[in-house]
Amino acid sequence: MNIENARSPLGDFLRPMLNLPAWNAQQGHGSFLTFEFGQPRLVVREWQSSKGDLRRHAYAQGQWHLWIYCCHWRITQDRQQSAHSEDTRETIGRAVVQLAGQLLTAVNVTPQDGKSTFHFDLGGRIETWPYGYDSSDEQWMIRTATDVFSFRADGHYALGPSNRSF
């Protein structure tokens, strides 16, 4: 299903994100990937350390925050594979940087096999598919200030309030 033309919870949620540039594209822990889309906003988190000291972390986050995790993925540029989720940090880092600035033009999902593809305007693409051993694993989620949409390996999704913990 291509969400650009489909009336569905996924299509309705992601449609405003289309044709926005990816920014702050980076590799996180292991093979986790994150991308920001839309206007930046300042996020400030405060917490007490185990010693009772106040800690604070501030960072910019987009209107839409895409987090890809708990799945296999492949990044291609102009139909050539740039990186795979099992590649080295250096290879993944180079591939992720290629997507920065590219506009997200479409998202396709095939719930039957738990695959999804994020298409970008300058020839970039991210394909995701399940690990194969746990069909309830979330493959990716997109967080806004109010909602979180997550897509699972079994093709099911969840849409809920953004105060859901990661």
Side-chain angles (χ1 to χ4, degrees), residues 42-54:
L42 180 62
V43 177
V44 180
R45 304 249 190 245
E46 290 185 349
W47 68 95
Q48 298 272 182
S49 74
S50 59
K51 297 178 181 180
D53 298 339
L54 181 63

Side-chain angles (χ1 to χ4, degrees), residues 114 130-139 151-156:
Y131 282 136
Y133 49 81
D134 189 351
S135 64
S136 67
D137 278 344
E138 292 177 337
Q139 292 188 49
F151 181 73
R152 292 189 342 202
D154 62 6
H156 290 90

